[in-house]
Amino acid sequence: DTWVVRELIPTTPAFHAFYSGTPINKERRYFIEGKRVTKHIPYWIEGAFIRDDTDCVEWNRVDKTWREELAEINLETLGEIDYLTRQSEKVGVHFDDAWSVDWLQSRNGAWYCIDMAPASLSWGYR
């Protein structure tokens, strides 16, 4: 019964996909349980963009493929892992059970927590 609306976070999408032209950005999913990060993964995987052996990507560049672009946005640096682990654990102190915490990187490089869900309902859990 409660709605929350936030300002659109400016991003620089790597590419667009699906029928709606969804912008694909650098995103991460962290799992927290017992106030600690138990796992982290890139949000987007290659299989998400394949339907019936056809890719669902809007692509008009010739300098690289969407798969190469996806691989680039999915690279996790040690600094990023350290920062998002610390931020996720700050969230985790408020929850006793397992949750997923989704992060989005903005155009200026800042990370925003954009979504949370019970871990058992989240892709990539376990």
Side-chain angles (χ1 to χ4, degrees):
D1 294 341
T2 302
W3 284 81
V4 176
V5 178
R6 63 168 167 78
E7 182 177 328
L8 181 66
I9 299 168
T11 61
T12 304
F15 54 92
H16 294 81
F18 314 114
Y19 304 108
S20 61
T22 301
I24 306 304
N25 294 290
K26 189 177 216 177
E27 297 179 59
R28 302 291 184 255
R29 175 165 285 167
Y30 275 64
F31 291 95
I32 54 175
E33 188 169 6
K35 302 176 179 32
R36 306 290 300 168
V37 167
T38 58
K39 180 180 181 180
H40 59 89
I41 57 175
Y43 185 85
W44 294 107
I45 62 166
E46 186 175 307
F49 305 104
I50 308 297
R51 297 287 187 273
D52 301 323
D53 296 326
T54 305
D55 68 44
C56 300
V57 174
E58 298 173 11
W59 193 258
N60 59 6
R61 292 174 43 196
V62 295
D63 59 326
K64 64 174 73 170
T65 69
W66 68 264
R67 285 179 171 89
E68 292 169 322
E69 192 71 49
L70 181 64
E72 286 181 24
I73 67 171
N74 281 346
L75 284 176
E76 298 176 280
T77 67
L78 292 177
E80 171 193 306
I81 293 168
D82 179 60
Y83 177 75
L84 291 178
T85 296
R86 284 185 284 114
Q87 295 305 106
S88 297
E89 289 179 347
K90 285 180 183 179
V91 172
V93 300
H94 301 284
F95 298 89
D96 291 325
D97 46 355
W99 283 76
S100 66
V101 183
D102 292 345
W103 297 94
L104 168 73
Q105 188 175 52
S106 70
R107 184 180 300 146
N108 70 6
W111 287 96
Y112 291 86
C113 177
I114 58 167
D115 194 19
M116 290 183 64
S120 62
L121 301 177
S122 301
W123 182 89
Y125 184 62
R126 303 259 187 238

